[in-house]
PDB file of all heavy atoms in Angstrom:
ATOM      1  N   PRO A 220     -12.128  -0.554  22.459  1.00 94.00           N
ATOM      2  CA  PRO A 220     -11.493   0.270  21.462  1.00 94.00           C
ATOM      3  C   PRO A 220     -10.444  -0.566  20.731  1.00 94.00           C
ATOM      4  O   PRO A 220      -9.619  -1.229  21.390  1.00 94.00           O
ATOM      5  CB  PRO A 220     -10.827   1.398  22.284  1.00 94.00           C
ATOM      6  CG  PRO A 220     -10.825   0.925  23.650  1.00 94.00           C
ATOM      7  CD  PRO A 220     -11.814  -0.171  23.849  1.00 94.00           C
ATOM      8  N   ALA A 221     -10.433  -0.529  19.384  1.00 96.00           N
ATOM      9  CA  ALA A 221      -9.527  -1.414  18.643  1.00 96.00           C
ATOM     10  C   ALA A 221      -9.165  -0.797  17.331  1.00 96.00           C
ATOM     11  O   ALA A 221      -9.966  -0.137  16.682  1.00 96.00           O
ATOM     12  CB  ALA A 221     -10.236  -2.775  18.407  1.00 96.00           C
ATOM     13  N   GLU A 222      -7.899  -1.038  16.915  1.00 96.00           N
ATOM     14  CA  GLU A 222      -7.408  -0.526  15.644  1.00 96.00           C
ATOM     15  C   GLU A 222      -6.511  -1.578  15.011  1.00 96.00           C
ATOM     16  O   GLU A 222      -5.746  -2.243  15.674  1.00 96.00           O
ATOM     17  CB  GLU A 222      -6.535   0.707  15.829  1.00 96.00           C
ATOM     18  CG  GLU A 222      -7.315   1.935  16.136  1.00 96.00           C
ATOM     19  CD  GLU A 222      -6.854   3.150  15.290  1.00 96.00           C
ATOM     20  OE1 GLU A 222      -6.049   3.026  14.389  1.00 96.00           O
ATOM     21  OE2 GLU A 222      -7.413   4.201  15.595  1.00 96.00           O
ATOM     22  N   ASP A 223      -6.596  -1.638  13.663  1.00 96.00           N
ATOM     23  CA  ASP A 223      -5.577  -2.450  12.994  1.00 96.00           C
ATOM     24  C   ASP A 223      -4.357  -1.590  12.658  1.00 96.00           C
ATOM     25  O   ASP A 223      -4.253  -0.480  13.130  1.00 96.00           O
ATOM     26  CB  ASP A 223      -6.193  -3.133  11.744  1.00 96.00           C
ATOM     27  CG  ASP A 223      -6.587  -2.139  10.676  1.00 96.00           C
ATOM     28  OD1 ASP A 223      -6.130  -0.982  10.758  1.00 96.00           O
ATOM     29  OD2 ASP A 223      -7.310  -2.509   9.759  1.00 96.00           O
ATOM     30  N   GLY A 224      -3.422  -2.121  11.809  1.00 96.00           N
ATOM     31  CA  GLY A 224      -2.162  -1.428  11.568  1.00 96.00           C
ATOM     32  C   GLY A 224      -2.175  -0.374  10.525  1.00 96.00           C
ATOM     33  O   GLY A 224      -1.123   0.159  10.159  1.00 96.00           O
ATOM     34  N   LEU A 225      -3.380  -0.024  10.011  1.00 96.00           N
ATOM     35  CA  LEU A 225      -3.371   0.962   8.865  1.00 96.00           C
ATOM     36  C   LEU A 225      -2.927   2.321   9.302  1.00 96.00           C
ATOM     37  O   LEU A 225      -2.186   3.003   8.582  1.00 96.00           O
ATOM     38  CB  LEU A 225      -4.808   0.974   8.290  1.00 96.00           C
ATOM     39  CG  LEU A 225      -4.923   1.333   6.799  1.00 96.00           C
ATOM     40  CD1 LEU A 225      -3.978   0.495   5.989  1.00 96.00           C
ATOM     41  CD2 LEU A 225      -6.349   1.167   6.320  1.00 96.00           C
ATOM     42  N   ARG A 226      -3.397   2.788  10.477  1.00 96.00           N
ATOM     43  CA  ARG A 226      -2.960   4.122  10.928  1.00 96.00           C
ATOM     44  C   ARG A 226      -1.452   4.126  11.160  1.00 96.00           C
ATOM     45  O   ARG A 226      -0.748   5.077  10.794  1.00 96.00           O
ATOM     46  CB  ARG A 226      -3.662   4.498  12.251  1.00 96.00           C
ATOM     47  CG  ARG A 226      -3.445   5.981  12.631  1.00 96.00           C
ATOM     48  CD  ARG A 226      -3.775   6.264  14.084  1.00 96.00           C
ATOM     49  NE  ARG A 226      -5.118   6.024  14.446  1.00 96.00           N
ATOM     50  CZ  ARG A 226      -6.126   6.952  14.463  1.00 96.00           C
ATOM     51  NH1 ARG A 226      -5.852   8.165  14.194  1.00 96.00           N
ATOM     52  NH2 ARG A 226      -7.334   6.626  14.877  1.00 96.00           N
ATOM     53  N   MET A 227      -0.906   3.018  11.711  1.00 97.00           N
ATOM     54  CA  MET A 227       0.540   2.924  11.919  1.00 97.00           C
ATOM     55  C   MET A 227       1.245   3.030  10.550  1.00 97.00           C
ATOM     56  O   MET A 227       2.263   3.717  10.413  1.00 97.00           O
ATOM     57  CB  MET A 227       0.917   1.638  12.572  1.00 97.00           C
ATOM     58  CG  MET A 227       2.411   1.421  12.734  1.00 97.00           C
ATOM     59  SD  MET A 227       2.782  -0.132  13.599  1.00 97.00           S
ATOM     60  CE  MET A 227       4.544  -0.252  13.285  1.00 97.00           C
ATOM     61  N   LEU A 228       0.714   2.321   9.556  1.00 97.00           N
ATOM     62  CA  LEU A 228       1.342   2.352   8.214  1.00 97.00           C
ATOM     63  C   LEU A 228       1.359   3.767   7.664  1.00 97.00           C
ATOM     64  O   LEU A 228       2.415   4.202   7.157  1.00 97.00           O
ATOM     65  CB  LEU A 228       0.534   1.430   7.275  1.00 97.00           C
ATOM     66  CG  LEU A 228       1.098   1.338   5.877  1.00 97.00           C
ATOM     67  CD1 LEU A 228       2.351   0.460   5.836  1.00 97.00           C
ATOM     68  CD2 LEU A 228       0.064   0.774   4.893  1.00 97.00           C
ATOM     69  N   VAL A 229       0.238   4.439   7.743  1.00 97.00           N
ATOM     70  CA  VAL A 229       0.197   5.818   7.224  1.00 97.00           C
ATOM     71  C   VAL A 229       1.119   6.730   8.006  1.00 97.00           C
ATOM     72  O   VAL A 229       1.854   7.545   7.431  1.00 97.00           O
ATOM     73  CB  VAL A 229      -1.252   6.373   7.193  1.00 97.00           C
ATOM     74  CG1 VAL A 229      -1.300   7.820   6.834  1.00 97.00           C
ATOM     75  CG2 VAL A 229      -2.103   5.567   6.227  1.00 97.00           C
ATOM     76  N   GLU A 230       1.094   6.631   9.307  1.00 98.00           N
ATOM     77  CA  GLU A 230       1.902   7.521  10.158  1.00 98.00           C
ATOM     78  C   GLU A 230       3.411   7.256   9.988  1.00 98.00           C
ATOM     79  O   GLU A 230       4.201   8.212   9.948  1.00 98.00           O
ATOM     80  CB  GLU A 230       1.497   7.381  11.636  1.00 98.00           C
ATOM     81  CG  GLU A 230       0.142   7.990  11.956  1.00 98.00           C
ATOM     82  CD  GLU A 230       0.134   9.507  11.714  1.00 98.00           C
ATOM     83  OE1 GLU A 230       1.135  10.168  11.885  1.00 98.00           O
ATOM     84  OE2 GLU A 230      -1.016  10.012  11.419  1.00 98.00           O
ATOM     85  N   GLN A 231       3.816   5.967   9.823  1.00 98.00           N
ATOM     86  CA  GLN A 231       5.289   5.760   9.585  1.00 98.00           C
ATOM     87  C   GLN A 231       5.635   6.306   8.226  1.00 98.00           C
ATOM     88  O   GLN A 231       6.749   6.854   8.054  1.00 98.00           O
ATOM     89  CB  GLN A 231       5.656   4.287   9.791  1.00 98.00           C
ATOM     90  CG  GLN A 231       5.052   3.255   8.799  1.00 98.00           C
ATOM     91  CD  GLN A 231       5.670   3.271   7.416  1.00 98.00           C
ATOM     92  OE1 GLN A 231       6.847   3.538   7.251  1.00 98.00           O
ATOM     93  NE2 GLN A 231       4.879   2.946   6.396  1.00 98.00           N
ATOM     94  N   GLY A 232       4.702   6.220   7.244  1.00 98.00           N
ATOM     95  CA  GLY A 232       4.983   6.784   5.915  1.00 98.00           C
ATOM     96  C   GLY A 232       5.032   8.288   5.934  1.00 98.00           C
ATOM     97  O   GLY A 232       5.919   8.904   5.289  1.00 98.00           O
ATOM     98  N   ALA A 233       4.163   8.895   6.694  1.00 98.00           N
ATOM     99  CA  ALA A 233       4.118  10.359   6.801  1.00 98.00           C
ATOM    100  C   ALA A 233       5.401  10.875   7.476  1.00 98.00           C
ATOM    101  O   ALA A 233       5.990  11.852   7.035  1.00 98.00           O
ATOM    102  CB  ALA A 233       2.885  10.830   7.560  1.00 98.00           C
ATOM    103  N   ALA A 234       5.857  10.159   8.490  1.00 98.00           N
ATOM    104  CA  ALA A 234       7.092  10.539   9.175  1.00 98.00           C
ATOM    105  C   ALA A 234       8.314  10.357   8.241  1.00 98.00           C
ATOM    106  O   ALA A 234       9.220  11.207   8.249  1.00 98.00           O
ATOM    107  CB  ALA A 234       7.263   9.715  10.475  1.00 98.00           C
ATOM    108  N   ALA A 235       8.287   9.309   7.429  1.00 98.00           N
ATOM    109  CA  ALA A 235       9.395   9.111   6.476  1.00 98.00           C
ATOM    110  C   ALA A 235       9.402  10.217   5.452  1.00 98.00           C
ATOM    111  O   ALA A 235      10.456  10.801   5.071  1.00 98.00           O
ATOM    112  CB  ALA A 235       9.240   7.737   5.787  1.00 98.00           C
ATOM    113  N   PHE A 236       8.226  10.575   4.904  1.00 98.00           N
ATOM    114  CA  PHE A 236       8.097  11.679   3.945  1.00 98.00           C
ATOM    115  C   PHE A 236       8.715  12.943   4.508  1.00 98.00           C
ATOM    116  O   PHE A 236       9.452  13.693   3.816  1.00 98.00           O
ATOM    117  CB  PHE A 236       6.615  11.840   3.609  1.00 98.00           C
ATOM    118  CG  PHE A 236       6.283  12.836   2.472  1.00 98.00           C
ATOM    119  CD1 PHE A 236       5.865  12.338   1.275  1.00 98.00           C
ATOM    120  CD2 PHE A 236       6.441  14.187   2.644  1.00 98.00           C
ATOM    121  CE1 PHE A 236       5.560  13.220   0.204  1.00 98.00           C
ATOM    122  CE2 PHE A 236       6.135  15.106   1.631  1.00 98.00           C
ATOM    123  CZ  PHE A 236       5.682  14.606   0.386  1.00 98.00           C
ATOM    124  N   ALA A 237       8.413  13.251   5.760  1.00 98.00           N
ATOM    125  CA  ALA A 237       8.954  14.455   6.420  1.00 98.00           C
ATOM    126  C   ALA A 237      10.485  14.378   6.501  1.00 98.00           C
ATOM    127  O   ALA A 237      11.129  15.411   6.359  1.00 98.00           O
ATOM    128  CB  ALA A 237       8.306  14.658   7.814  1.00 98.00           C
ATOM    129  N   CYS A 238      11.041  13.234   6.726  1.00 98.00           N
ATOM    130  CA  CYS A 238      12.502  13.067   6.752  1.00 98.00           C
ATOM    131  C   CYS A 238      13.096  13.378   5.377  1.00 98.00           C
ATOM    132  O   CYS A 238      14.110  14.009   5.259  1.00 98.00           O
ATOM    133  CB  CYS A 238      12.912  11.677   7.176  1.00 98.00           C
ATOM    134  SG  CYS A 238      12.533  11.267   8.900  1.00 98.00           S
ATOM    135  N   TRP A 239      12.447  12.848   4.329  1.00 98.00           N
ATOM    136  CA  TRP A 239      12.992  12.994   3.016  1.00 98.00           C
ATOM    137  C   TRP A 239      12.936  14.434   2.489  1.00 98.00           C
ATOM    138  O   TRP A 239      13.808  14.924   1.810  1.00 98.00           O
ATOM    139  CB  TRP A 239      12.290  12.083   2.005  1.00 98.00           C
ATOM    140  CG  TRP A 239      12.355  10.629   2.316  1.00 98.00           C
ATOM    141  CD1 TRP A 239      13.378   9.963   2.882  1.00 98.00           C
ATOM    142  CD2 TRP A 239      11.276   9.678   2.166  1.00 98.00           C
ATOM    143  NE1 TRP A 239      13.077   8.620   3.032  1.00 98.00           N
ATOM    144  CE2 TRP A 239      11.792   8.406   2.597  1.00 98.00           C
ATOM    145  CE3 TRP A 239       9.989   9.688   1.643  1.00 98.00           C
ATOM    146  CZ2 TRP A 239      11.039   7.240   2.566  1.00 98.00           C
ATOM    147  CZ3 TRP A 239       9.239   8.515   1.604  1.00 98.00           C
ATOM    148  CH2 TRP A 239       9.764   7.312   2.058  1.00 98.00           C
ATOM    149  N   PHE A 240      11.787  15.092   2.777  1.00 97.00           N
ATOM    150  CA  PHE A 240      11.496  16.380   2.134  1.00 97.00           C
ATOM    151  C   PHE A 240      11.479  17.593   3.064  1.00 97.00           C
ATOM    152  O   PHE A 240      11.280  18.717   2.607  1.00 97.00           O
ATOM    153  CB  PHE A 240      10.193  16.282   1.349  1.00 97.00           C
ATOM    154  CG  PHE A 240      10.196  15.216   0.286  1.00 97.00           C
ATOM    155  CD1 PHE A 240       9.375  14.111   0.426  1.00 97.00           C
ATOM    156  CD2 PHE A 240      11.057  15.278  -0.798  1.00 97.00           C
ATOM    157  CE1 PHE A 240       9.403  13.078  -0.527  1.00 97.00           C
ATOM    158  CE2 PHE A 240      11.088  14.272  -1.751  1.00 97.00           C
ATOM    159  CZ  PHE A 240      10.246  13.160  -1.593  1.00 97.00           C
ATOM    160  N   GLY A 241      11.630  17.320   4.369  1.00 97.00           N
ATOM    161  CA  GLY A 241      11.684  18.431   5.314  1.00 97.00           C
ATOM    162  C   GLY A 241      10.382  19.061   5.601  1.00 97.00           C
ATOM    163  O   GLY A 241      10.267  20.131   6.211  1.00 97.00           O
ATOM    164  N   GLU A 242       9.259  18.476   5.086  1.00 96.00           N
ATOM    165  CA  GLU A 242       7.913  19.004   5.435  1.00 96.00           C
ATOM    166  C   GLU A 242       6.935  17.834   5.444  1.00 96.00           C
ATOM    167  O   GLU A 242       7.153  16.844   4.707  1.00 96.00           O
ATOM    168  CB  GLU A 242       7.458  20.056   4.391  1.00 96.00           C
ATOM    169  CG  GLU A 242       7.375  19.525   3.013  1.00 96.00           C
ATOM    170  CD  GLU A 242       6.768  20.533   2.023  1.00 96.00           C
ATOM    171  OE1 GLU A 242       6.241  21.578   2.488  1.00 96.00           O
ATOM    172  OE2 GLU A 242       6.855  20.314   0.815  1.00 96.00           O
ATOM    173  N   PRO A 243       5.926  17.865   6.292  1.00 97.00           N
ATOM    174  CA  PRO A 243       4.979  16.750   6.371  1.00 97.00           C
ATOM    175  C   PRO A 243       4.105  16.707   5.159  1.00 97.00           C
ATOM    176  O   PRO A 243       3.814  17.684   4.556  1.00 97.00           O
ATOM    177  CB  PRO A 243       4.173  17.065   7.644  1.00 97.00           C
ATOM    178  CG  PRO A 243       4.255  18.558   7.812  1.00 97.00           C
ATOM    179  CD  PRO A 243       5.564  18.985   7.227  1.00 97.00           C
ATOM    180  N   PRO A 244       3.694  15.452   4.785  1.00 97.00           N
ATOM    181  CA  PRO A 244       2.722  15.344   3.651  1.00 97.00           C
ATOM    182  C   PRO A 244       1.299  15.615   4.160  1.00 97.00           C
ATOM    183  O   PRO A 244       1.097  15.768   5.387  1.00 97.00           O
ATOM    184  CB  PRO A 244       2.883  13.856   3.332  1.00 97.00           C
ATOM    185  CG  PRO A 244       3.112  13.226   4.632  1.00 97.00           C
ATOM    186  CD  PRO A 244       3.956  14.168   5.440  1.00 97.00           C
ATOM    187  N   SER A 245       0.383  15.666   3.267  1.00 97.00           N
ATOM    188  CA  SER A 245      -1.047  15.753   3.633  1.00 97.00           C
ATOM    189  C   SER A 245      -1.545  14.327   4.006  1.00 97.00           C
ATOM    190  O   SER A 245      -1.638  13.444   3.170  1.00 97.00           O
ATOM    191  CB  SER A 245      -1.883  16.297   2.498  1.00 97.00           C
ATOM    192  OG  SER A 245      -3.241  16.011   2.729  1.00 97.00           O
ATOM    193  N   ARG A 246      -1.837  14.174   5.271  1.00 96.00           N
ATOM    194  CA  ARG A 246      -2.374  12.871   5.673  1.00 96.00           C
ATOM    195  C   ARG A 246      -3.777  12.627   5.044  1.00 96.00           C
ATOM    196  O   ARG A 246      -4.124  11.450   4.736  1.00 96.00           O
ATOM    197  CB  ARG A 246      -2.465  12.785   7.222  1.00 96.00           C
ATOM    198  CG  ARG A 246      -1.077  12.483   7.806  1.00 96.00           C
ATOM    199  CD  ARG A 246      -1.012  12.997   9.194  1.00 96.00           C
ATOM    200  NE  ARG A 246       0.130  12.485   9.905  1.00 96.00           N
ATOM    201  CZ  ARG A 246       1.317  13.077   9.948  1.00 96.00           C
ATOM    202  NH1 ARG A 246       1.549  14.185   9.275  1.00 96.00           N
ATOM    203  NH2 ARG A 246       2.323  12.575  10.677  1.00 96.00           N
TER     204      ARG A 246
END
Side-chain angles (χ1 to χ4, degrees):
E222 284 227 6
D223 67 14
L225 209 50
R226 189 196 300 264
M227 176 179 168
L228 181 75
V229 171
E230 289 295 331
Q231 65 75 31
F236 187 108
C238 292
W239 301 323
F240 301 113
E242 60 174 348
S245 163
R246 282 153 166 91

